[in-house]
Amino acid sequence: MVKLRLKRCGRKQRAIYRIVAIDVRSRREGRDLGKVGFYDPIKNQTYSNVPAILFFLERGAQPTGIVHDILKKGIFKELRVN
């Protein structure tokens, strides 16, 4: 099963997260199937590659709770999906 989840990047005390499609059995820093965006919680900025996210969602990928909330603010709002 594939999930869309956050992968931590950045330096100490200054985390930036990549939104990645990754196998459920992989660890947080494990090898991902594709990078689909990033999220900076300090600046509250989000970049999303919409075609890549839709590609993985159409094939059954499930977003985690936090990623779902991030996407709800941006992509799902544009597409009018709950």
Side-chain angles (χ1 to χ4, degrees), residues 29-49:
E29 305 302 327
R31 186 171 182 197
D32 52 56
L33 302 172
K35 297 174 182 74
V36 295
F38 78 87
Y39 171 63
D40 185 353
I42 297 171
K43 295 181 181 177
N44 202 17
Q45 291 180 338
T46 305
Y47 168 75
S48 303
N49 184 352

Side-chain angles (χ1 to χ4, degrees), residues 39-68:
Y39 171 63
D40 185 353
I42 297 171
K43 295 181 181 177
N44 202 17
Q45 291 180 338
T46 305
Y47 168 75
S48 303
N49 184 352
V50 178
I53 291 173
L54 292 177
F55 173 82
F56 284 109
L57 289 176
E58 288 171 355
R59 282 155 182 76
Q62 297 293 318
T64 59
I66 294 172
V67 173
H68 184 269

Side-chain angles (χ1 to χ4, degrees), residues 4-44:
L4 295 177
R5 67 183 187 198
L6 297 176
K7 186 174 186 180
R8 187 184 163 115
C9 301
R11 62 178 200 241
K12 190 167 41 168
Q13 301 296 318
R14 181 84 175 118
I16 295 176
Y17 296 92
R18 282 193 181 134
I19 302 171
V20 296
I22 194 166
D23 187 33
V24 186
R25 296 167 291 187
S26 297
R27 53 197 181 118
R28 182 185 74 183
E29 305 302 327
R31 186 171 182 197
D32 52 56
L33 302 172
K35 297 174 182 74
V36 295
F38 78 87
Y39 171 63
D40 185 353
I42 297 171
K43 295 181 181 177
N44 202 17

